[in-house]
Amino acid sequence: MNATVAANESKATSATIDRIELTQPDDWHLHLRDGEHLPAVLPFTVRQFARAIVMPNLRPPVTTTAMAVAYRERILAALPAGSRFDPLMTLYLTDRTTAAEIEAAVASGVVKAVKYYPAGATTNSDSGVTHVDRTRPALEAMERLGLPLLVHGEVTDQSVDLFDRELAFIERTLAPLVRDMPGLRVVMEHITTRDAVAFVESCGPNVAATLTPHHLLMNRNAIFVGGIRPHYYCLPVLKREVHRQALMDAAVSGNPKFFLGTDSAPHARHTKEADCGCAGCFNAHAALELYAEAFDRADALHRFEAFASFHGPDYYRLPRNTGKVVLVRERWDAPAEYPYGGDTLVPLRAGEPLQWRMLPAA
Ligand code: NCD
Ligand code: ZN
Ligand code: ZN
């Protein structure tokens, strides 16, 4: 069998499909890091994606348009020779971000969104927002100018159970915000619960969400198989199977509110295998393969292209890509590690088999 699924083709049983051709996708949530780490991870993304929304949680964070422009130049300078890739930049929202900064960001044409990290919620979020009210001038400018707000949706209240922090953020912060500012465009990033799916579905077209491959493929048991597995620790943390199932249902639903965002978040091996290990999973080495596996398992490969290649650009009001990529059903083992500047990086599925392989560009 060598059936091919193309855009909008009617459903074929996924198990009989062993080649997928799709419009080149984009990654709508990506960490590229900086310095010696940037050239170590960038080629993986460039191989698969035409564009990516690049997260601003560097040290120091990318809080101004000038910093975003400079970071974009460093990314372009690190591109493999002959490759084409369009980094879509983001600003890191703080309590002090001004309306003028938002206006400059939009005028630059380089900044495509603004990232909301609750202070202390995740990696390099110390300069994040302490209370949403403090960001009002920036948010009003964003609502007026149509600049999307990308949200790490977890409360930092330590009295809230770690597994309930996404729901608490929706109830305490996001639902009131969306109610007060219906014109604000909001992407809830890397959603992990059925509550987040239900919330996004209940909102108007301004509210969307990204889904990672690891949250589609795994539940929280993965963190504890035979011992503690630091490479499966990310934030928001993996949840129960019912939640994974709800995320998968959203991904394959065809609803344009849900689209691809890998949250590939590299950390050096020694910073994850530590007594206080960092949060983040590196998946850029096999991002499309992992998503294809998730859609295949759900018998929904016919819904893969819209999720990976159409819903994101449509939400961001950017043209869809015109190039194509091809994936074939073929087993291969992910490497145990990759070089990461002077360190090493352990990828998702390290040393274990993947079921799909992307072919090199023709
Ligand atoms: C991300 C990182 O390492 O930058 N970590 C993660 O666990 N997802 C930050 C983030 O996206 O929250
Ligand atoms: Zn996050
Ligand atoms: Zn992230």
Side-chain angles (χ1 to χ4, degrees):
M1 277 300 242
N2 195 6
T4 297
V5 256
N8 305 320
E9 200 170 282
S10 62
K11 182 176 156 98
T13 303
S14 291
T16 66
I17 293 166
D18 47 24
R19 183 177 183 279
I20 319 166
E21 180 177 305
L22 66 160
T23 300
Q24 190 172 25
D26 307 297
D27 184 350
W28 301 99
H29 181 132
L30 175 67
H31 300 271
L32 284 175
R33 310 308 192 205
D34 207 352
E36 63 170 6
H37 294 144
L38 169 60
V41 293
L42 180 62
F44 294 108
T45 291
V46 171
R47 200 174 74 85
Q48 300 201 320
F49 299 104
R51 298 168 289 200
I53 284 278
V54 181
M55 289 295 129
N57 61 333
L58 304 181
R59 242 172 299 185
V62 180
T63 51
T64 66
T65 301
M67 292 172 89
V69 169
Y71 184 28
R72 185 168 188 275
E73 290 303 320
R74 295 198 294 282
I75 296 167
L76 294 177
L79 283 179
S83 58
R84 288 177 57 168
F85 178 67
D86 188 8
L88 310 174
M89 308 310 291
T90 59
L91 284 194
Y92 185 117
L93 186 67
T94 76
D95 291 357
R96 292 165 302 284
T97 306
T98 61
E101 190 64 58
I102 299 300
E103 285 157 14
V106 172
S108 75
V110 164
V111 174
K112 301 298 185 200
V114 174
K115 185 66 194 255
Y116 182 127
Y117 293 104
T122 186
T123 305
N124 295 347
S125 61
D126 310 346
S127 317
V129 174
T130 62
H131 194 284
V132 63
D133 293 348
R134 302 227 162 98
T135 65
R136 201 70 195 193
L139 296 188
E140 280 169 0
M142 290 169 60
E143 183 179 40
R144 181 160 45 80
L145 298 170
L147 189 65
L149 179 71
L150 315 183
V151 178
H152 180 107
E154 287 190 289
V155 295
T156 55
D157 181 344
Q158 299 295 305
S159 71
V160 177
D161 189 282
L162 180 76
F163 292 91
D164 299 332
R165 288 184 191 171
E166 186 171 273
L167 175 58
F169 185 85
I170 292 168
E171 290 171 346
R172 294 182 189 180
T173 304
L174 205 49
L177 179 65
V178 167
R179 200 179 315 124
D180 292 353
M181 303 185 79
L184 186 64
R185 313 187 66 230
V186 180
V187 184
M188 207 178 166
E189 300 287 18
H190 49 44
I191 58 170
T192 64
T193 58
R194 62 181 164 192
D195 311 284
V197 170
F199 173 73
V200 170
E201 285 172 347
S202 76
C203 295
N206 279 340
V207 179
T210 54
L211 290 158
T212 79
H214 38 291
H215 290 100
L216 292 179
L217 285 164
M218 291 178 288
N219 63 39
R220 65 192 194 178
N221 286 346
I223 309 168
F224 306 102
V225 178
I228 186 138
R229 303 289 189 131
H231 298 290
Y232 293 126
Y233 172 60
C234 66
L235 288 169
V237 74
L238 296 172
K239 302 294 192 301
R240 283 179 182 278
E241 176 63 11
V242 289
H243 296 293
R244 190 199 66 79
Q245 191 60 57
L247 301 178
M248 200 65 235
D249 290 347
V252 306
S253 67
N255 186 335
K257 287 167 162 287
F258 299 101
F259 45 86
L260 184 158
T262 63
D263 193 23
S264 182
H267 290 273
R269 176 193 278 272
H270 71 92
T271 66
K272 288 194 65 75
E273 297 173 6
D275 63 359
C276 187
C278 292
C281 299
F282 175 69
N283 59 34
H285 67 302
L288 287 179
E289 288 88 344
L290 289 161
Y291 280 114
E293 187 175 317
F295 275 70
D296 189 14
R297 273 196 212 166
D299 201 14
L301 283 172
H302 62 296
R303 289 282 167 81
F304 186 36
E305 184 179 42
F307 171 83
S309 313
F310 299 160
H311 298 167
D314 294 355
Y315 180 84
Y316 277 88
R317 300 172 178 163
L318 292 168
R320 294 177 181 180
N321 296 317
T322 51
K324 300 278 181 199
V325 299
V326 175
L327 290 136
V328 291
R329 187 186 295 279
E330 183 186 311
R331 245 173 95 103
W332 59 290
D333 287 341
E337 60 179 36
Y338 290 104
Y340 188 50
D343 299 304
T344 59
L345 180 59
V346 178
L348 213 68
R349 286 281 172 85
E352 288 175 38
L354 290 146
Q355 308 302 327
W356 290 85
R357 187 198 272 283
M358 192 190 120
L359 298 182

